[in-house]
Amino acid sequence: MNNVLLTGGTGYIGSHTCLILLKQGFKVIVLDSCISSSSKSLEGVKKVFGKDWDSFSDKLQFIKGDINNFGLLKQLFQENILLGEPIDGVIHFAGLKSVKDSIIKPIEYWESNVMGTINLIKVMNLFSCYKIIFSSSATIYGINKGEKIKETSDISPVNPYGSTKATVERLLQDTYLSDKSKWSIMKLRYFNPIGAHASGLIGESPLQSPNNIFPLLMDVAAGRKKELKIFGNDWDTFDGTCIRDYVHVMDLAEAHVKSFEYLFSTEPACISINIGTGKGTSVLELINVFKKVNLVDIKFSFTSRRKGDLSCVVADNSKAKEVLGWNPTRNLSDMCRDGWKWKKSNPYGYK
Ligand code: NAD
Ligand code: UFG
């Protein structure tokens, strides 16, 4: 197996995974509409290779296009078969990811995340490509009692974005059940990815205004925002602020390589796996580590709770360790240092 299609591969997690796959010797085809990213991220990937890029340049192809374009997807699979290099597997990152926007524009979310995936599965089936890794999310889990979340915990999303992710998981399960001898499906449930590649050459560069804490926090550190508004200091946690499981984007990217190794060495299956560190960090702790590691100030104030937030979301990651042999190796200081290196060198992202 060496020819991989990355839908959404110019995005934040996709570009970091693209880099690792190339380094591991994969041939990578990136398909992205660039609705929320820039293809300049792939220039960043090239820069990481530096003068060695020449020996990799034929291993990366970028196609600008939408996963809802059935004809384009068909052509892509067909062309690679004609070249004698059929696509062996797909990592499906493409999708819209803002919880807030999904409440305002649910149809766009269902269209991109659910209909787009149906389209992709139809074309994969047509060309007998049966291996797929899907970007799912911890957001599909319902309210928890503060304990670590297992893959068997209740699925009960509370916003349209979460509903689309849970629906795709169901769709993939049904696809697998339709012929258990065919499909190998990995649904990775990401917790809170942050940070950047240690080079500072690639990182998160959202086109829309961010709602997530890490890009907002870096905007404050960079002086582009006056202060960070912390959503509540009256939560049932040790310091009153919400707890999340932050995971370094490079550790997350590595989980995809491990997943491919698994899918290509075992019998067909459909598996869900949490990708988090298993360590909870409060908002105040995150701010303090960021300040300490990077020697910068972060101004903040408390405001009321954000609707739909949960007090504590931390992964039980034992399945990732057992099944994939995946062990995150980067800690919160690494996440803060690497994220800030990217932001300092690229205050406006890829723009
Ligand atoms: P991102 O927005 O940076 O990347 C998503 C990419 O998909 C973008 O490049 C966008 O242009 C592309 N895209 C969107 N709709 C498309 C379409 N219809 N056709 C083709 N391309 C399309 O987001 P990310 O953080 O890299 O997330 C990648 C995946 O992981 C997403 O599916 C997201 O829902 C999921 N996820 C992200 C997080 C997170 O906090 N970043 C957490 C859990 C799950
Ligand atoms: N927070 C603030 N102020 C902000 C933004 C966030 O205090 O301006 C707090 C939130 O209340 C929360 C924590 O920071 O406690 C993290 O919030 P994020 O918005 O960064 O992340 P969420 O955990 O709410 O959700 C994220 C993604 C989802 C994904 C989920 C996976 O937005 O898409 O992680 O667990 F599904």
Side-chain angles (χ1 to χ4, degrees):
M1 174 259 319
N2 57 15
N3 204 9
V4 180
L5 171 65
L6 300 196
T7 72
T10 66
Y12 172 44
I13 305 167
S15 54
H16 289 79
T17 307
C18 174
L19 172 67
I20 292 195
L21 288 169
L22 289 168
K23 288 209 163 173
Q24 297 273 331
F26 288 84
K27 188 177 163 219
V28 180
I29 303 160
V30 169
L31 173 72
D32 201 305
S33 65
C34 296
I35 187 167
S36 29
S37 64
S38 163
S39 61
K40 286 188 188 150
S41 61
L42 301 181
E43 297 304 317
V45 167
K46 291 178 193 172
K47 280 188 201 152
V48 176
F49 284 90
K51 55 180 173 20
D52 294 335
W53 177 248
D54 280 353
S55 46
F56 286 89
S57 55
D58 61 337
K59 298 253 184 281
L60 176 63
Q61 187 190 358
F62 169 61
I63 294 135
K64 187 168 179 181
D66 200 295
I67 50 167
N68 270 305
N69 185 338
F70 188 76
L72 175 70
L73 276 180
K74 253 175 77 174
Q75 189 188 338
L76 186 57
F77 277 81
Q78 181 79 61
E79 271 172 10
N80 279 275
I81 288 173
L82 292 175
L83 287 171
E85 293 179 333
I87 294 171
D88 300 301
V90 176
I91 307 184
H92 181 31
F93 295 108
L96 302 175
K97 68 165 182 178
S98 158
V99 169
K100 198 173 163 192
D101 282 356
S102 78
I103 296 166
I104 303 162
K105 302 182 274 193
I107 302 299
E108 284 178 31
Y109 274 69
W110 281 84
E111 195 165 38
S112 188
N113 297 2
V114 179
M115 286 168 70
T117 307
I118 292 174
N119 210 32
L120 175 66
I121 294 291
K122 272 160 82 176
V123 178
M124 287 176 69
N125 197 32
L126 208 57
F127 291 96
S128 308
C129 176
Y130 300 125
K131 304 219 178 338
I132 180 166
I133 301 170
F134 170 62
S135 299
S136 189
S137 168
T139 200
I140 65 171
Y141 292 117
I143 295 167
N144 65 78
K145 295 192 188 80
E147 71 277 23
K148 288 188 181 180
I149 300 171
K150 287 182 182 297
E151 288 81 356
T152 47
S153 300
D154 280 351
I155 305 295
S156 178
V158 294
N159 55 65
Y161 167 66
S163 300
T164 64
K165 289 289 177 188
T167 301
V168 172
E169 283 217 11
R170 188 64 196 270
L171 165 76
L172 292 172
Q173 179 72 15
D174 289 346
T175 303
Y176 165 69
L177 292 175
S178 69
D179 186 345
K180 287 187 182 176
S181 66
K182 255 174 36 178
W183 289 89
S184 292
I185 299 173
M186 184 66 73
K187 297 168 286 183
L188 296 182
R189 296 176 180 162
Y190 312 157
F191 278 64
N192 289 61
I194 59 170
H197 186 259
S199 64
L201 293 168
I202 54 172
E204 188 169 15
S205 177
L207 289 188
Q208 292 80 14
S209 323
N211 303 310
N212 294 121
I213 191 157
F214 201 69
L216 287 170
L217 181 150
M218 291 204 294
D219 275 346
V220 177
R224 297 189 62 207
K225 259 182 84 74
K226 215 172 93 215
E227 61 173 13
L228 182 75
K229 299 261 185 219
I230 299 180
F231 297 136
N233 60 351
D234 56 352
W235 294 90
D236 176 23
T237 62
F238 75 96
D239 65 8
T241 64
C242 289
I243 291 178
R244 292 292 181 272
D245 184 336
Y246 298 98
V247 54
H248 196 295
V249 67
M250 289 302 290
D251 279 326
L252 172 58
E254 280 163 13
H256 295 81
V257 179
K258 294 272 185 197
S259 297
F260 259 149
E261 282 166 5
Y262 179 85
L263 293 182
F264 280 88
S265 62
T266 53
E267 294 299 304
C270 183
I271 306 175
S272 300
I273 298 189
N274 286 341
I275 302 294
T277 61
K279 292 192 188 74
T281 301
S282 75
V283 173
L284 285 174
E285 280 180 317
L286 176 66
I287 293 172
N288 285 331
V289 171
F290 193 94
K291 280 164 64 168
K292 193 169 161 206
V293 169
N294 296 315
L295 305 172
V296 289
D297 191 25
I298 310 273
K299 291 206 168 26
F300 63 84
S301 65
F302 294 106
T303 181
S304 47
R305 292 182 179 193
R306 181 171 65 176
K307 197 167 164 263
D309 256 351
L310 299 174
S311 160
C312 180
V313 182
V314 179
D316 178 327
N317 65 1
S318 45
K319 194 171 173 188
K321 289 181 176 169
E322 277 158 31
V323 176
L324 302 178
W326 177 79
N327 265 299
T329 59
R330 297 156 180 96
N331 62 24
L332 195 65
S333 299
D334 299 324
M335 300 178 212
C336 292
R337 187 196 56 238
D338 296 342
W340 184 234
K341 184 166 184 188
W342 155 253
K343 182 72 179 179
K344 257 196 321 187
S345 343
N346 307 273
Y348 301 99
Y350 297 112
K351 279 171 222 142

